[in-house]
Structures are given as C-alpha cells and as structure tokens.
Amino acid sequence: MIVPAQPYPARSPEFSAILPGLEESAEIARQLVRATLNAWEMEHLTDSGVLVVTELVANAVQHTNSCYIRVVASRSNPRFVRIGVVDNARMLPEMNKPGAELLTSGRGLLLVDALCERWGTDMYRLGKEVWGELPVYPPHGQGGGDGLRGDTADAPPRRPSQRHHAPQPAVL
C-alpha cells in the first residue's frame, strides 16, 4: 500500500537572544527587534516593536529576580509579529488601571495593550513568556496612521475582542 507523505510545515522565522536580567539589556533587545523587522522588511512596525520590547524587558527586570531573560521575535502566523520576553518567574503580570498614580511608572502593560492586537502570557515549567502581537499590515505612504501602532488609516480596524490576556499552558 502506498501512503502519501505528509509535508511538515517549515519552522516559523524566529530571532532570539539571552540577555542578563538588567536594565541595560533593553538596548540590546531594541537592537534585536530593529534588526529583525528590517530583515523581514517590516520597518513600518519598528517604532511599535521597539516600544513593546522595551516595556516587556523593563517588566521582567523590575518584577522578577531573573538572572537572565530571553527576548524573542517570531512570525508563527503570517498576520502578526510576536515579540516576547521569557523570564524565570511564575507569577502572572498584572495590568494597572489608568489613573494618576501612573504618572511616573506602571504603564508598561497599558502600552503593550494599546500597541498590540493581542497579548498574553505562556506559562512554562521554569517561568513564563509575556508577549504581544503586532498586526502585519502593508505600509501605505506617509502619515495617516494612529501614531501608536504604525499602521495607516486604511488598514483593517482593530478588533478588541481578539485581545486577550489569559495564561496559555505550555510545557518546556
């Protein structure tokens, strides 16, 4: 009997770096995101991607005792670029409510929520990954965008119902 071969999907593109759990690692993370988006010819997402990774690194450094963090930029879905930071803490991140006390700090996940189509946390045996997904819309001319996500006015509207912040079980 002849059985047709089942094709295996190619691995999605991914770039990552393991960095010290220090504030100074944010600059290297930003360079990784810039270089990755440039390699994927998605420069129109650079401003949003850099801000997302900055906030995720800051949260991992500030709120965990991780000696090392892993910064990841991936394309597991053709519609999104996923930017994540893995740390060794098992506590879930909490998004602060907007208010006057956020004038000096605590805005990180609010910014991630505003910039990303969706974001969430994947739990691992030895920690977690907090990630955000930027929508991949083709760039259209100059200006006309909302200024935060880098897309333009004629891009498809955001669908808030697709956002989520729910732990997704995963085991490493």
Side-chain angles (χ1 to χ4, degrees), residues 9-147:
R11 280 195 78 205
S12 62
E14 179 178 293
F15 290 92
S16 69
I18 296 174
L19 306 172
L22 302 171
E23 289 181 20
E24 294 81 20
S25 293
E27 180 55 35
I28 299 168
R30 288 189 287 271
Q31 291 172 6
L32 171 74
V33 168
R34 278 188 201 102
T36 300
L37 293 172
N38 185 46
W40 291 340
E41 298 178 353
M42 295 183 189
E43 294 87 354
H44 62 286
L45 297 177
T46 300
D47 290 343
S48 295
V50 164
L51 186 52
V52 167
V53 79
T54 299
E55 296 303 330
L56 295 178
V57 168
N59 282 351
V61 169
Q62 245 183 341
H63 301 293
T64 74
N65 292 323
S66 300
C67 293
Y68 295 95
I69 59 173
R70 181 172 173 241
V71 176
V72 183
S74 65
R75 291 286 316 275
S76 59
N77 180 320
R79 293 183 50 221
F80 298 102
V81 169
R82 180 179 280 207
I83 298 171
V85 174
V86 180
D87 60 53
N88 67 1
R90 301 239 341 128
M91 100 182 139
L92 291 173
E94 292 183 32
M95 186 166 55
N96 290 323
K97 305 266 189 273
E101 68 279 357
L102 297 180
L103 290 176
T104 57
S105 68
R107 299 180 301 260
L109 290 178
L110 288 170
L111 288 170
V112 170
D113 185 61
L115 294 167
C116 295
E117 182 77 18
R118 56 189 178 185
W119 68 277
T121 303
D122 292 340
M123 298 303 294
Y124 302 124
R125 186 170 41 94
L126 297 174
K128 69 177 176 306
E129 177 179 2
V130 181
W131 52 265
E133 291 183 336
L134 297 170
V136 178
Y137 300 126
H140 301 282
Q142 299 292 328
D146 63 6

